[in-house]
Amino acid sequence: MQLDFFPSRSLTLYLAKMFVVRILAVLVMLVLVLMALDLLGSTGKILEPEGNGQAEIIKYASLRIPQLIARFLPYSVLLATLITLVTLNQNSEVVAMKAAGLSAHQVLAPLLLTAAVVALISFAFNERVVTRANSTLKAWEAVEYGPIPEQSGVRANVYLTDGDNILTASSLIGSGEDIELDNVTWYSRAPGGIISEQINATGATYAAPGWRLENPKRFDVGSATTEPIEDIVVGEGLTPEQIDLQSIDPDAQSFWELSETIDAYEAAGRRTSEMRAKWWHRLSGPLSALLMPLLGSVAAFGLARSGQLFVRAVIGMALGFAYFVVDNAALAMGSFGGYPPFLAAWAPFFLFLLVGETVLIRTEE
């Protein structure tokens, strides 16, 4: 038996089924609670546009639920691990398995296999569902939950630079010379980086060259006055091709689309650290589910009657949540160039893999 990584077929199916049921139960509970809290804060904004009603609330929920599932699935695996292992420990099933000759790794093997399957499903779900939900929801939020324009290529929260000057827009529609910007703000900056004037406009279109602002109002920083002005052309150094590159949202692109975008950025000599870190994290993120049984395994062993079962469960939970904290911090560091992108995405995974294995081997093997 010691040479077989997995225990008997019956025991493997028993443990895997128990683990899957608890993952689904915890995930449903988390998503329902968080969705209810989200709707409490968002329902007023959704119903504000004329004609919006229950259908729009349901639409918002259908777009937010995939995001919540993707974000909290690893947490669900962690909590399900602790619930499963504590239950097995309290019922002396772990003692029985170890008395039958199983090692700690063999006890955890069915849970690790199940977590690996969950990681694969999570990756596919993120690529096929979550990226599309991100794109649609951001475009809808950009028009303040009103009708989404029928044109393709709707993107939200656009930030563009033209030398020292900055052009922002709440949404972008179309591509190439047909690009239309909505709720535009132009910041004109002095050579030292200080904003000298700000121009707000309802929209902007390509003027070949530059971008023509519609219904602009100028705010002069020096005199602190605001006045309407005639249509003006700004950002003559911004071409439609540059805007197409600068306005890309990595969260709304699939793994393969993001790879092509990174290649295009590198060909244009643009910085790709943030995109590269997110690209690597598309792989390491779902694999975090594979770590949870290992980090939570400290709750499986030790006599339940010793009174330390609760302490072990708390230690397992602390290790799991410590991983998420370190992972988010490393990804943030990688996004602005503090860490190399590969290191930012994979260092937390391998670090806590070694931590989990060390704790398991030193205490139970």
Side-chain angles (χ1 to χ4, degrees):
M1 181 68 73
Q2 291 291 345
L3 298 178
D4 297 328
F5 185 65
F6 292 97
S8 67
R9 180 176 181 273
S10 298
L11 186 56
T12 299
L13 293 176
Y14 169 73
L15 294 175
K17 180 180 178 182
M18 179 185 296
F19 192 36
V20 168
V21 169
R22 282 156 177 76
I23 290 175
L24 293 176
V26 173
L27 182 60
V28 170
M29 178 194 68
L30 287 176
V31 170
L32 288 178
V33 172
L34 294 170
M35 190 69 248
L37 295 175
D38 192 351
L39 287 175
L40 287 175
S42 303
T43 301
K45 297 179 181 178
I46 297 171
L47 296 178
E48 187 174 347
E50 185 178 356
N52 283 7
Q54 182 178 355
E56 282 68 28
I57 295 177
I58 294 175
K59 176 183 177 181
Y60 177 81
S62 68
L63 295 174
R64 278 291 289 155
I65 286 176
Q67 294 179 338
L68 294 175
I69 291 175
R71 184 173 183 85
F72 290 98
L73 182 58
Y75 294 89
S76 301
V77 176
L78 172 63
L79 296 177
T81 297
L82 296 173
I83 295 171
T84 301
L85 296 180
V86 168
T87 302
L88 292 173
N89 198 344
Q90 284 182 325
N91 295 335
S92 299
E93 293 175 270
V94 174
V95 175
M97 285 186 279
K98 295 196 72 173
L102 297 182
S103 67
H105 284 87
Q106 287 175 311
V107 173
L108 294 176
L111 276 63
L112 293 171
L113 176 63
T114 304
V117 174
V118 169
L120 290 176
I121 295 174
S122 176
F123 176 79
F125 181 77
N126 292 345
E127 296 303 301
R128 297 294 299 174
V129 179
V130 177
T131 53
R132 297 177 182 180
N134 287 338
S135 176
T136 304
L137 184 56
K138 288 184 178 181
W140 197 24
E141 290 175 342
V143 295
E144 297 180 348
Y145 302 106
I148 299 178
E150 296 181 358
Q151 295 94 324
S152 61
V154 178
R155 282 159 282 183
N157 299 324
V158 180
Y159 181 94
L160 309 166
T161 57
D162 178 28
D164 292 332
N165 304 322
I166 300 171
L167 181 69
T168 66
S170 64
S171 64
L172 177 152
I173 303 171
S175 60
E177 295 186 0
D178 296 328
I179 289 177
E180 296 181 8
L181 302 174
D182 188 41
N183 292 331
V184 179
T185 303
W186 169 259
Y187 299 96
S188 179
R189 297 197 296 182
I194 300 175
I195 296 177
S196 58
E197 69 174 6
Q198 172 183 324
I199 302 177
N200 297 320
T202 57
T205 55
Y206 187 53
W211 299 86
R212 187 178 306 279
L213 303 183
E214 302 170 357
N215 304 318
K217 293 182 179 180
R218 175 186 285 125
F219 173 75
D220 186 85
V221 176
S223 60
T225 58
T226 301
E227 59 178 353
I229 58 176
E230 296 182 357
D231 290 359
I232 184 175
V233 176
V234 299
E236 296 185 0
L238 284 174
T239 64
E241 292 76 14
Q242 291 174 319
I243 289 183
D244 281 334
L245 282 179
Q246 292 190 46
S247 60
I248 288 174
D249 181 10
D251 295 330
Q253 293 191 320
S254 68
F255 181 79
W256 313 112
E257 291 173 341
L258 186 56
S259 179
E260 295 175 357
T261 299
I262 292 173
D263 292 339
Y265 264 61
E266 291 178 343
R270 302 286 302 281
R271 179 176 174 271
T272 61
S273 298
E274 181 178 1
M275 287 187 176
R276 182 73 66 178
K278 290 186 176 182
W279 185 78
W280 281 116
H281 199 260
R282 292 288 181 88
L283 298 175
S284 63
L287 279 178
S288 63
L290 189 60
L291 285 179
M292 298 304 109
L294 193 61
L295 297 177
S297 63
V298 67
F301 307 101
L303 295 177
R305 292 186 295 272
S306 66
Q308 297 181 355
L309 181 59
F310 177 75
V311 176
R312 285 174 169 267
V314 171
I315 293 174
M317 184 177 297
L319 286 174
F321 280 99
Y323 165 77
F324 294 118
V325 172
V326 173
D327 182 54
N328 290 331
L331 186 61
M333 292 287 288
S335 295
F336 64 78
Y339 289 163
F342 180 85
L343 185 65
W346 286 104
F349 178 85
F350 289 111
L351 172 63
F352 279 85
L353 178 64
L354 294 176
V355 169
E357 277 292 338
T358 301
V359 171
L360 187 62
I361 292 174
R362 291 294 299 271
T363 59
E364 302 301 332
E365 298 284 24

